[in-house]
Amino acid sequence: MSLFLIVALPFLGAMLPGLMNAAGRQACAGVTFTVTLLALVGLLTNLPAVLAGEIVSARVAWLPGLGLDVTLWLDGLGFFFAALILGIGLLIIAYARHYLSRDDHMGEFFTYLLLFQGAMVGIVLSDNVLLLLVFWELTSLSSFLLIGYWKHLPEGRQGARMALAVTGMGGLALIGGMLILGRIAGSYELSVILENRDAIQASPLYHPALVLILLGCFTKSAQFPFHFWLPHAMAAPTPVSAYLHSATMVKAGIFLLARLWPVLSGTTEWFVLVTGAGLITMVLGATIALFKHDLKALLAFSTVSHLGLITMLLGTGTAFGAMAAVFHILNHATFKAALFMSAGIIDHGAHTRDIRHLGGLRRLMPVTFVIATLAALSMAGIPLLNGFLSKEMMLEEAAHTTLFDLPWLVPALAVLGSLFSAAYCFRFVGQVFFGPVRDDYPSHPHDPGPGLWGPPALLVVLVVGIGVMPFLAEPFVKLVTAAVLGGTAEVPGAHLAIWHGLTPALYMSIVAVGGGLLLFLAHRPAQRLWDGTPRPEAKALFDGLVAGAVGLARRTVAPLHDGAFSRYAAILAVTVLAVGAHAWLTGASEGPSRTMQTPSVVHVAGWAMLVAAAGALVFFHRNRLLSLILIGIVGLMVTAGFVLFSAPDLAMTQLTVEVVTIILLLLALNFLPNRTPVESSSLRRVRDGAIAVAGGLATMALAWHYLLRDTVAPSISEFHLANSYKGGGGTNVVNVILVDFRGFDTYGEIIVLSIAALLIFALTEALLSGPVRARLLNRVPDQARAGGTHPMLMVIVTRVIMPVVMLVGFYIFLRGHNEPGGGFIAGLIVSIGFVMQYMASGFAWTSARLKYPYHGVIGAGVLTAGLTGIGSWFFGAPFLTSAFTYVRIPPFDKFELATAAIFDLGVFLAVVGAVMLSLESFSRLARRAHGPEDDYPMGVDPSRDDLPRTTEMGA
Amino acid sequence: MEFLVASAIGVLTAAGLYLVLRLRTFPVIMGTSLLTYAVNVFLFASGRLATGAPPILTDAERYTDPLPQALVLTAIVISFGMTAVVVMIALGAYLGADDDHVDDAPAGEDAR
């Protein structure tokens, strides 16, 4: 099966459980299981190639310009991890099916689980490091969802947030490190990076890259000092703990250490940092684990400790260390997942995970006892179980490792860690299963069905199988080790065997197990000592750190961002002015190249009106109705300016927009106070006036400057003028630019307009369904209302001219390609026609006669425009390529048919829909406010017997 | 004529800026409208000023620059949409809280 499919399957399948939740728990789990099984089978089809030492790869270009391509590869290491992820995933899914209770949303759980699985498989199969980083972040996100799956538990939410914060920070560091690495190697492909060991280690950037990558790996794999998040993540459901926090996600950091081992390892820095962190984590984790009473907390810290062990082995930089690490990854995944599942079973049966409330379960849960005991003894390092083998290899490696020139340091710490490890394993078995049967369990403990104990039992079979017959696993372990070494070192000749003779490792092992047993026997006093010792609490430190960061951010932002809009506006204006002034003062420009045109008296009069209206607006802005009239004058003068300066299309647009804007503002003013009170101090007004004058002078100077000079570079308008008729089939160049040359822009613009209208509609809906509704209903208009809301004359005139308006709109639309006009203008004209009906005959009358909702009109417009664009694909042309032809149907004159006209129709519809939806929303507010409006579209109608005001008419 | 246009842009900008800096929603909306005019005319004028030369292809010798016109045409329509949204937000805020100040109340008076 293609590697793409193996990675994609979990993602594609992730949709299924969520969708199938209603089909039942069995179906949900079944489909998840099937998807995972398919991916695993697909992976296994590549096994022969991997065993033959080939590297399977698949590639497709994604963003080659960034060096980001979807390149996947599969070698021994990738196969090992992918098989672990998918194989243990299968067991976890089967287990979770029986573990989750009826109240849990199973579809949601399995969707998250599959997302996580896909991301993990993606990490281990990525060849491109940028792609790997994407998957890396995805595991952080999906694990966040999984840890916080029980949303009602505060521990779950806090644990999820902590895990996301820590691993997310590490992920950021990792991105930096990987980018540096790719930069040094000149490629973002791992396969290339791995061949550049010398270049990377010689580079001055090696140290920053190493530190950043280690930060990423250590946070993910919970290495000291970032180990604290893992125990808190145990608030997750047990299947998640077993899957993410023992077998897979926390191994992602280890995986990356192993993956990059050929290029990063072997230096002193690597050795000190990785081995040092690993050793500390191993001893610290094991020590804390011994004194935890919660089974899952014990296992969590033991996981921390074992991850430290593996990290330490990778840090030594020897081939034997790498082999031991690989072997221990395999062994740890088997026994730890089994232990987690056993803890879940105990929790499930006894309704507690507190060791102090347990004991004697050996008789009550015999099956679980066998499974958990074998797994725990394997973890303790007892012979004939797989944990013993890799632990002895670890001790062997430790015996040959010298840190800080102290030959005894590493072996002593390794023995100490193993000793505590053995002690907590004995405690796990001894205090949970042995001892007298108690009569105060929170619930009656019993063995569950095979659905729950089956998956861990399978793992324990592996634990014993590998433990007794290690030679069976040896070829595979060596294959993976070879992939880790990547040709930089020979695969060690040592064999995986139970008996190596009387080696130092054996003595160390005996000391560790014996010491562990003694420590277990002395657990009670040791616990008292531990409880009496003050220790820093990681969660409190973390919470304090987060609170400090939040406080710092708040103190930095609050003074700047105090919610005073007028202040932001002033700051913005001054900043823009300052930047502009700097450019003006430091730049150079040539003298005027154009001559000034002489204005006539009419021109000056128009200018004077505009300036006077704008000035008056400032002085009389407190009278809001007056300011509407004044802004109308400004708009008219701008329109006149467009007419004068050869822009008929603009003039028509501006005029029609002016009309709808004023109507809109009138509708709004209906609710707002009619006057603006005097509030700002005179000092403040002087300040604002100064900013305003400065801004005005600046824009004036800028406009004045460029109006007297020719363009710096030739404008592309020449092309438009030359090709408008030849290429676009229209003589109105502005319209051809809109619907043809830059049709894609226009398409985007009508969508923006439509979204604005929908937003207004949504806001209105929200207002009308909230407390504002009651307020509107109780509102008393602040001014006397005119009688006769629908004057007869206006009703008749608007109805009579409605067809004329439509005809004009139609005409303007049709001629738009060749003469001033087009979809935008026609849309506005038709809208005004509709608005007139609303105003004259009332909301109810007009709405009752409305066949199509405005949302539909908007949608039809955008779709028409879009489909016109797509249509050109069928002719092998890019989106929105236009075509036109001339036809002649007697007795009409020759006329043109252009696809651009259909696009323009879309523009027309979208504009009509958007404008009408906005205005309609406003008037719906008004309608609420004034209660039921007149039943009659005409205030006075001579033909009507005007008595029963309650009779329904029209609709 | 160039001076008239440039100074008109300047006056519109100045008046718009002053109104945008006011404390109530309605004058701020008026201010943004004036700024919209200013910006549109400014953009339009970047095609330089020509009288009697509309970009409608005929036998004429010269045409004015059509590109700024096409840009400004959509800008006018979109600015209507933008004004409508801002007005709606202002209206919603006023109806919901009976307050049409654009600035948040100073800290202390109002719990965040």
Side-chain angles (χ1 to χ4, degrees), chain A residues 826-838:
Chain A
L828 287 161
I829 289 175
V830 169
S831 305
I832 294 174
F834 286 139
V835 172
M836 284 196 306
Q837 304 305 316
Y838 275 103

Side-chain angles (χ1 to χ4, degrees), chain A residues 490-510:
Chain A
E490 288 292 312
V491 177
H495 293 288
L496 308 182
I498 301 171
W499 181 250
H500 286 289
L502 295 171
T503 55
L506 186 67
Y507 296 121
M508 287 159 83
S509 213
I510 292 169

Side-chain angles (χ1 to χ4, degrees), chain A residues 69 320 910 929:
Chain A
D69 292 319
F320 186 77

Side-chain angles (χ1 to χ4, degrees), chain A residues 667-673 763-764 766-768 770-780 921-922 924-930, chain B residues 25 87-101:
Chain A
L667 279 169
L669 202 50
N670 191 13
F671 297 101
L672 294 169
L763 284 171
T764 314
L767 278 180
L768 285 180
V772 170
R773 179 191 160 90
R775 192 179 285 216
L776 280 174
L777 286 173
N778 295 325
R779 185 172 178 272
V780 180
S921 301
F922 276 92
R924 278 171 58 221
L925 282 181
R927 200 161 169 249
R928 269 300 147 227
H930 304 140
Chain B
T25 51
V87 170
M88 189 72 228
I89 292 170
L91 200 55
Y94 178 68
L95 291 175
D98 212 10
D99 178 20
D100 66 341
H101 280 96

Side-chain angles (χ1 to χ4, degrees), chain A residues 646 658 679 688 706 709 717, chain B residues 22 37 42 48 50 65 101:
Chain A
S646 318
E658 210 55 51
E679 282 176 322
D688 293 349
Y706 75 57
R709 285 160 182 81
S717 300
Chain B
R22 297 303 88 207
Y37 287 126
F42 184 88
R48 308 304 185 269
D65 192 340
H101 280 96

Side-chain angles (χ1 to χ4, degrees), chain A residues 765-838:
Chain A
E765 284 292 302
L767 278 180
L768 285 180
S769 57
V772 170
R773 179 191 160 90
R775 192 179 285 216
L776 280 174
L777 286 173
N778 295 325
R779 185 172 178 272
V780 180
D782 53 355
Q783 293 197 349
R785 301 192 62 209
T789 31
H790 308 304
M792 180 170 60
L793 200 61
M794 194 168 160
V795 172
I796 292 172
V797 169
T798 51
R799 289 190 201 169
V800 167
I801 65 168
M802 183 68 183
V804 182
V805 174
M806 294 295 132
L807 193 68
V808 171
F810 188 59
Y811 170 67
I812 293 279
F813 173 76
L814 277 188
R815 73 173 208 160
H817 216 42
N818 293 314
E819 299 284 330
F824 276 110
I825 301 166
L828 287 161
I829 289 175
V830 169
S831 305
I832 294 174
F834 286 139
V835 172
M836 284 196 306
Q837 304 305 316
Y838 275 103

Side-chain angles (χ1 to χ4, degrees), chain A residues 82 95 170 180 214 220 418 442 461 489 533 538 612 679 755 809 853 876 933-934:
Chain A
Y95 178 81
I180 295 178
L214 289 183
K220 199 78 162 181
S418 306
V461 168
T533 321
E679 282 176 322
I755 292 172
E933 66 179 293
D934 288 349

